Amino acid sequence: MTRSLRLANATVLTPEGALERGDVHVADGAIVDAFGAADVIDCAGLTVLPGVVDVHGDAFEGALHPRPGVAIPFEVAMRSVDAQLIANGITTAFHGLTLSWEPGARSLDAGRRFMSGLAALRPALAADHRVQLRWETFAHEALEDIVGWLGGVPTPTLALNDHTTMTRDIIRSGRHAKLQKYAIRCRVTLDEYIALNEAALERESDVPAKIAEVAEMARAAGATMLSHDDRTAEERRAGRALGVGIAEFPLTREAATEARGAGEHTVLGGPNALRGGSHMGALSAEEAVREGLCTILASDYYYPSQFAAVERLVKRGVVDFPAGWSLISAAPAEAMGLTDRGAIAPGRRADLVVVERGDPWRIRHVATGGVVSSFA
């Protein structure tokens, strides 16, 4: 733990997106102008970068519930998640907390336990842990909790999510193998899961009004809003009319093009870019980055994916290094309204990643608020 630090002899990514030789000075958790630091880390041959910002990660679910019906104590699970985040250069993480009509890990009760547990543990964690309220738009019983959480500090983001109608489509298609996974997650039988979905769908006529109500709450709280799984330009325009300014995981080129044409950020999954395509057959993150249709890569369900995806995209010539790193640092910080991070400049938080850009790239040091973790 250091209060006064100099990262010396490094290649530094500047706010303008250039790579320059120099030192980075840290005092009391912030980047500062040059001064006589108490501690020095020699970064010769290494690159100093702003910390990774993850706008949507839900791998924490596997830490809390590594098997269906198995619950790990919250503090044990989230300290493990915190260590994973730091090891992968993620200094700011928005946990995608699903609030659904489903029982089990994505239920409203589970969401309440997560929010209270994180509030108690957050000061003891190394990374800056935040929350994306991933609201299933048919889960109307969650509204009272959402309005309370939107008043918290830090303000969570809000994603409008509709997997209910998607599940109906899966049921109609007869793809019960996929549904069985959902049922196992909820610890119910397949028939019981289908019945739960049918019960939720009875609220369909009320959904538009509830979406408008929740969006108004979020606007009043100053919360950043994201749409989820937009398929068409019309869906993106409808979200925009509600104040939803970020397209998260757009499924089609049409939806992503509509968002980018309006100057909006678009989020795709790091695993998609790392694997060279979507496992669902949706929009390819690599193609979207190449075409300027993706501005942010999120960890999605796998924390190592952001760092590894940027390495892959840079080595494949899809983007240059500064533009690639922006996908996981400057751009997500901007999209989330986090003006105190995402760039190496005096006054910003000392959230930094020191990388050896060999083959493969390796993270050597991570600073979160000036506190350094080092890796061999």
Side-chain angles (χ1 to χ4, degrees):
M1 184 177 294
T2 59
R3 293 178 58 83
S4 175
L5 174 69
R6 177 164 62 97
L7 302 176
N9 308 312
T11 297
V12 181
L13 181 63
T14 71
E16 295 74 31
L19 293 169
E20 298 180 355
R21 293 295 301 275
D23 297 350
V24 178
H25 300 263
V26 173
D28 296 324
I31 299 166
V32 297
D33 291 320
F35 76 114
D39 297 294
V40 177
I41 297 177
D42 185 5
C43 295
L46 305 177
T47 304
V48 180
L49 305 158
V52 177
V53 177
D54 184 12
V55 303
H56 177 119
D58 54 36
F60 72 90
E61 291 182 336
L64 288 168
H65 302 281
R67 291 186 177 180
V70 174
I72 300 299
F74 186 87
E75 181 171 350
V76 173
M78 292 307 293
R79 284 189 181 276
S80 174
V81 167
D82 188 55
Q84 292 178 60
L85 295 173
I86 297 303
N88 288 289
I90 301 172
T91 54
T92 302
F94 286 83
H95 297 299
L97 180 67
T98 300
L99 306 171
S100 176
W101 45 263
E102 291 183 349
R106 294 186 168 184
S107 67
L108 181 56
D109 283 342
R112 289 166 177 159
R113 291 193 295 271
F114 183 91
M115 291 299 286
S116 61
L118 185 61
L121 186 60
R122 188 172 182 268
L125 299 174
D128 184 1
H129 291 245
R130 296 174 177 240
V131 176
Q132 180 200 91
L133 299 175
R134 189 183 181 196
W135 173 55
E136 182 63 33
T137 56
F138 284 72
H140 300 167
E141 61 275 15
L143 268 64
E144 184 175 344
D145 291 275
I146 289 172
V147 71
W149 291 329
L150 287 172
V153 178
T155 304
T157 62
L158 176 73
L160 303 179
N161 187 74
D162 177 12
H163 282 176
T164 307
T165 54
M166 180 195 73
T167 300
R168 177 183 62 191
D169 294 341
I170 294 172
I171 292 170
R172 289 175 176 176
S173 73
R175 290 180 288 156
H176 285 184
K178 191 174 185 68
L179 289 177
Q180 189 66 55
K181 294 179 182 179
Y182 298 164
I184 290 171
R185 182 178 66 203
C186 298
R187 302 189 69 194
V188 298
T189 67
L190 178 59
D191 287 342
E192 289 170 336
Y193 185 82
I194 291 172
L196 287 167
N197 177 257
E198 290 173 346
L201 284 164
E202 293 177 2
R203 304 172 172 180
E204 190 166 18
S205 62
D206 299 327
V207 168
K210 293 299 182 182
I211 291 174
E213 182 180 345
V214 172
E216 184 177 0
M217 293 178 193
R219 291 195 304 271
T224 299
M225 287 190 283
L226 309 89
S227 59
H228 191 84
D229 289 355
D230 286 335
R231 292 174 172 81
T232 66
E234 182 180 8
E235 288 179 357
R236 180 79 288 277
R237 288 192 290 268
R240 185 179 304 133
L242 292 168
V244 182
I246 300 170
E248 182 181 65
F249 306 129
L251 296 176
T252 65
R253 182 171 278 96
E254 175 189 345
T257 299
E258 171 64 31
R260 294 299 298 132
E264 296 165 340
H265 281 289
T266 51
V267 182
L268 289 173
N272 182 329
L274 177 60
R275 296 176 64 255
S278 166
H279 73 284
M280 298 172 53
L283 181 63
S284 162
E286 179 174 324
E287 292 178 8
V289 170
R290 191 187 301 276
E291 297 170 20
L293 296 179
C294 171
T295 62
I296 295 170
L297 291 175
S299 77
D300 199 2
Y301 54 85
Y302 188 59
Y303 291 130
S305 68
Q306 287 176 287
F307 181 80
V310 171
E311 179 180 8
R312 181 180 188 275
L313 293 174
V314 170
K315 289 183 174 179
R316 285 173 59 81
V318 176
V319 288
D320 64 20
F321 180 77
W325 197 260
S326 177
L327 292 167
I328 61 173
S329 187
E334 177 186 76
M336 297 297 103
L338 301 175
T339 58
D340 63 342
R341 64 200 76 184
I344 298 176
R348 302 288 182 108
R349 278 175 55 102
D351 289 352
L352 301 163
V353 182
V354 183
V355 174
E356 179 183 349
R357 292 166 57 196
D359 191 13
W361 293 359
R362 300 184 67 177
I363 293 174
R364 292 303 190 185
H365 308 282
V366 177
T368 54
V371 179
V372 178
S373 299
S374 297
F375 305 92

